[in-house]
Amino acid sequence: QVQLQESGPGLVKPSQTISLTCTVSGDSIRDKFWNWIRQSPGKGLEWIGATRSGDHTYYSPALKSRISISTDTSKNQLSLQLTSVISEDTAVYYCARGDDWGPPRDLWGKGTLVTVSS
């Protein structure tokens, strides 16, 4: 049984940083592709970035200047930092597993809502 669980603060103030962690249970993050994806009513589903156990990392061109994705293989954790946030960064943030850099993703976390507001 494999589970992905997102965690982190649900409320972040503008100009600050969204910091999220995805904890993977029942599987190793090595030799897999791990994604951060978000969804909001205004933007729809948006791919943020992905990493292969931290060896290679790719970011969305629209967000890459503000994105940092990292892994902790000893803890089976995937982390996301999004800096200088604005209200439009409000979204449900998901982590997801795939067999390659692109779709499909076979496992998703339940997502966590992050609201950017003062």
Side-chain angles (χ1 to χ4, degrees):
Q1 184 176 353
V2 181
Q3 292 184 338
L4 284 68
Q5 179 65 59
E6 302 91 346
S7 63
L11 180 64
V12 180
K13 294 182 178 180
S15 80
Q16 296 187 346
T17 298
I18 294 174
S19 298
L20 301 175
T21 298
C22 174
T23 301
V24 179
S25 301
D27 192 20
S28 173
I29 63 175
R30 303 192 68 85
D31 299 322
K32 293 289 185 179
F33 300 81
W34 304 92
N35 302 263
W36 284 103
I37 300 166
R38 69 182 184 181
Q39 185 170 17
S40 63
K43 299 178 182 178
L45 195 66
E46 181 180 19
W47 179 77
I48 299 171
T51 185
R52 183 184 183 185
S53 299
D55 294 338
H56 300 88
T57 305
Y58 294 100
Y59 302 131
S60 166
L63 300 170
K64 64 183 302 180
S65 65
R66 300 191 291 131
I67 291 293
S68 179
I69 294 175
S70 60
T71 60
D72 186 337
T73 57
S74 67
K75 298 180 179 179
N76 276 334
Q77 289 184 331
L78 173 75
S79 298
L80 169 70
Q81 291 194 331
L82 177 61
T83 63
S84 303
V85 300
I86 59 177
S87 61
E88 287 77 11
D89 290 316
T90 296
V92 177
Y93 286 76
Y94 301 90
C95 56
R97 185 186 74 176
D99 289 328
D100 207 337
W101 293 109
R105 283 89 191 194
D106 60 351
L107 286 175
W108 293 67
K110 294 182 179 180
T112 184
L113 174 64
V114 180
T115 300
V116 179
S117 176
S118 60

